[in-house]
Every structure is written in structure tokens, then in C-alpha cells.
Amino acid sequence: MNINKLSIAMIVIILCTAISSSWAADSTSSDQQAWVQEQGSEVLFTYLESTITVTIKNNNDHVEYFKISQVYNQTSPPIFWKVAWTDPCALKMIKYQSDVDENDLGWKIQPGETKTVSFKVVAYPYPSVTIPVYIRRNASISNGFWPLVNEPGLTATWFLPNEIEYLNPSLDLQSWNGHFCFWIKNYDTTYPKVSGIVRAPIVPIDSKLTYSNPQITYISDELPWANTAAWDVLLYPGQSKHYSYTYHWPESSSSSTSSGSSSSAGYSIPTTAAATTNASVPTSETGVPFGLFVVGAIIIAGGVAYAKFFR
């Protein structure tokens, strides 16, 4: 056997292994966590509100309407919202699709018009046993591990701000800005204090975190396409704490991160919501098994090298 051919074949295999290992290290799913099934939480949400400002253009040749969604279906059961105020004053729509009340509110937008509106919604009724008091993890796995398990803390939910473009392609979302406020409370009275990670309960995808108060501890990569704010918290019995944060869509805009927040490397996804309309999001259980591609690449490279040099 020619020693030169053997050396070349070994170099090819080593290079393929190194490249595939580098790709695996850069994979956004390489740092995901497995979530065990939870029984409950002592730390509960007691208040949640959001103030949204959007700029939308009507690209159609006739009048269009868009309105406020008062149901958030990314949780089970869903979160219902009361509209606190609108600017400019919203109109009552012909048909209502809200389970909160019959005042489905929205705006008229003329052909070619670009309209900017703001509104505030508040979770209603206030979080209690009848609606989510913390965000449950749907993709959790059975707690069959021993003697140690990971405690990732409270999870988050995600949505696409520009889903309006999928619902009506004539409406072009120019920008979206959302400011969220929530309170959490420790209901545990058996321990002197509780501690753990609390993530922002609702996070827009493909958006940039521009503000947080208090300052976030880190950006969670629980979902690769969302810069999810996360705080390390400590609560004494009966103690409540307030958190607020702001996101801007699209992430690629020129908005800058406030001193109250922390920036992170961005991720990009298609800016047309039609590409991702399923309510499900990838998790550590549903992510792509990248290791199989790595193994496949090594096997293929070895086969090519063998066929070229040894036969």
C-alpha cells in the first residue's frame, strides 16, 4: 500500500472530523437543557401587562382593518387580556372574536396609508388558579433521573410579531415595540427564602431586547431565535418583586440596548411569518439531531477516501 495515499486519506478524515466538530460547537442547540416534569411553583405571576406600539402599511388598493388580539394561546389555558387604552382611539369591529368581552377593538387603514398605533393590555382576570400563574413547560420529560436533576427555573413563551403579514399579506408590519411589566410573588412559607431563574414570560421572536429593569442576569438560549431575558432571583416568604423589559422588532433595526439590559449575539429567521406559522417552537426534545449529521459526514468522507486511494 502506498504510504503517501494512506497519509492523504488520514488527513482527509481528520479534517472532516475537525470541521464537523467545529460546526457542532457553533450549533445554537448545543447548549439546550432537558426539562423534567414539574409539579408546581412557589413563585407565581401576580400581574402581567404589555404596552405595544406598531407601524403598519396597507399595500392594498382598498381599505383594510386590523385589531387587537385579546387571547394569547401560547399558554394552557390561554391568557386573556383587557384593553386598558388605545392611541389613537380604536373602533369597535363588526364581529368580535374575544372571550374577554364584546368590545373587539381595531383600526381602519386606507390604501397606501402607513399607520402607527399604541395600546395597553392587562392580563384579566389577574393571575389566579383559573389562569396561568406561571408558564408551564409542555415539552418536559419524566423525572426518572437520580440522584441529581437540573433546575432550569421558570420558562418563557414566544410569538411572531409579524404574524399579521401571514393573516393578511396586504398589511406590511414596519416596526413593533413591546414593553412588558410583571410581578412575581413567593407563596412558600416553609423556607426562609427561595431562589432560582425566572425568564421573561412572553418574548417576541427575531426581536432585540432594548431595556430591562432590573438588569437581566443573562440572555437565555432556550429558543435560538429569541433573545429571552432571564433573571437570577431571591425571594423571602411573601415577598413580591417587579420586572419590566422592552423588545423591538425587527432585531436588525438600529435600536440600541439600554443600560438597564444586556445584549447578546443575534439570530435570524425568515421575516415573513408564513415561514413559521406553527404555534410550536423547537425545544431540547424537538431540535435537529446534529450529531447524526456529524457522524454521517465522517463516514462519507472516509468512504470517499477509501474509494479514491485504496481501490
Side-chain angles (χ1 to χ4, degrees), residues 52-53 130 141 205 273:
I52 308 295
T53 299
T130 60
I141 59 178
I205 292 176

Side-chain angles (χ1 to χ4, degrees), residues 114-143:
T114 299
K115 183 183 289 291
T116 298
V117 303
S118 299
F119 57 93
K120 178 179 177 179
V121 291
V122 180
Y124 178 84
Y126 293 143
S128 66
V129 294
T130 60
I131 66 173
V133 289
Y134 75 102
I135 306 300
R136 294 183 178 273
R137 180 75 173 188
N138 294 326
S140 58
I141 59 178
S142 298
N143 183 3

Side-chain angles (χ1 to χ4, degrees), residues 65 68 74 114 163 204 218 262:
Y65 285 85
I68 302 170
Q74 286 290 77
T114 299
E163 196 165 21
Y218 68 100
S262 174

Side-chain angles (χ1 to χ4, degrees), residues 125-203:
Y126 293 143
S128 66
V129 294
T130 60
I131 66 173
V133 289
Y134 75 102
I135 306 300
R136 294 183 178 273
R137 180 75 173 188
N138 294 326
S140 58
I141 59 178
S142 298
N143 183 3
F145 301 97
W146 183 89
L148 298 176
V149 296
N150 183 34
E151 169 53 295
L154 302 186
T155 185
T157 65
W158 307 276
F159 69 97
L160 287 162
N162 61 326
E163 196 165 21
I164 185 69
E165 297 175 349
Y166 170 72
L167 300 174
N168 186 346
S170 297
L171 297 179
D172 179 19
L173 183 66
Q174 305 284 305
S175 68
W176 182 99
N177 196 81
H179 180 70
F180 297 83
C181 297
F182 67 93
W183 285 84
I184 56 174
K185 181 178 180 178
N186 175 21
Y187 284 90
D188 181 27
T189 59
T190 60
Y191 279 84
K193 56 189 175 183
V194 297
S195 186
I197 296 169
V198 174
R199 291 170 175 81
I202 301 178
V203 178

